[in-house]
Amino acid sequence: MGIEEKLPSGFLLSTVESLAGYFRKGSLWPATFGLACCAIEMMTTGGPRYDLARFGMEVFRASPRQADLMIVAGRVSQKMAPVLRQIYDQMPGPKWVLSMGVCASSGGMFNNYAIVQGVDHVVPVDIYLPGCPPRPEMLIDAILKLHDQIQHTPLGVNAERAAQQREELALAALPTSHLKGLLR
């Protein structure tokens, strides 16, 4: 006989982690950071047709100190990379980054010295959104996937354990020739 059967109806059982994840995912405030054509699609997503207000994200914050989600929409030039990093550093934790479009994710068709070949060289990225430019529906789907990721993020000691397990799995996935170089 489980604990659910012993409790009278009307009781809700949960964990602190799941409740914190639920509230954190419902209160993402994106920073205003549009760099190129993907920014038009990002702005459209905030409009009445696609309505990001359904997810508690109706206002893009102009101050990084009020935002916890950075949507990098468009190509990042070498001159803009330090500014991007500064804005990321000013955001309070926990914070997340969504790389929107092929230019932000990998440099796109701009394979030259002036464009950063992937925003992950500047800031850590949580979700990559492909497309040139990605449609608003795709951005909403990526945000929902980020919501799921946030809701299942462990807290405290469990977060440290999860990070250690991810690191061990990543090392186990490497070929043995790479491991020999790392262990020296």
Side-chain angles (χ1 to χ4, degrees):
M1 186 177 225
I3 191 168
E4 292 86 6
E5 297 168 358
K6 291 180 181 178
L7 291 173
S9 64
F11 273 88
L12 176 68
L13 299 176
S14 185
T15 63
V16 173
E17 280 184 343
S18 64
L19 284 174
Y22 177 78
F23 288 116
R24 281 163 75 197
K25 80 170 188 168
S27 64
L28 282 180
W29 288 359
T32 305
F33 204 83
L35 296 169
C37 44
C38 289
I40 303 299
E41 300 295 326
M42 180 178 66
M43 288 183 262
T44 302
T45 308
R49 182 170 182 173
Y50 297 100
D51 193 25
L52 273 178
R54 295 179 283 174
F55 310 111
M57 301 173 61
E58 61 271 2
V59 180
F60 281 78
R61 305 297 168 183
S63 170
R65 289 178 175 82
Q66 297 174 347
D68 52 5
L69 170 63
M70 176 184 279
I71 302 174
V72 181
R75 60 189 177 270
V76 180
S77 66
Q78 295 288 350
K79 284 181 132 182
M80 186 56 78
V83 175
L84 176 91
R85 184 62 199 204
Q86 181 180 13
I87 290 173
Y88 177 80
D89 289 339
Q90 289 176 353
M91 291 169 57
K95 52 191 166 188
W96 297 274
V97 177
L98 194 150
S99 176
M100 182 176 178
V102 71
C103 293
S105 298
S106 66
M109 65 185 120
F110 303 101
N111 189 8
N112 60 38
Y113 66 91
I115 302 298
V116 175
Q117 300 300 303
V119 74
D120 54 354
H121 293 285
V122 183
V123 293
V125 176
D126 297 295
I127 298 279
Y128 292 93
L129 176 58
C132 183
R135 297 281 306 142
E137 296 92 349
M138 294 173 68
L139 178 58
I140 290 173
D141 183 58
I143 289 170
L144 291 176
K145 287 179 180 167
L146 183 64
H147 279 183
D148 189 50
Q149 191 179 37
I150 291 169
Q151 185 166 5
H152 295 98
T153 300
L155 301 173
V157 175
N158 293 336
E160 294 170 10
R161 285 185 196 141
Q164 185 178 10
Q165 288 174 350
R166 277 194 307 272
E167 185 178 319
E168 290 171 1
L169 287 173
L171 282 175
L174 286 175
T176 54
S177 60
H178 290 288
L179 288 176
K180 290 177 185 174
L182 290 174
L183 297 176
R184 288 183 189 171

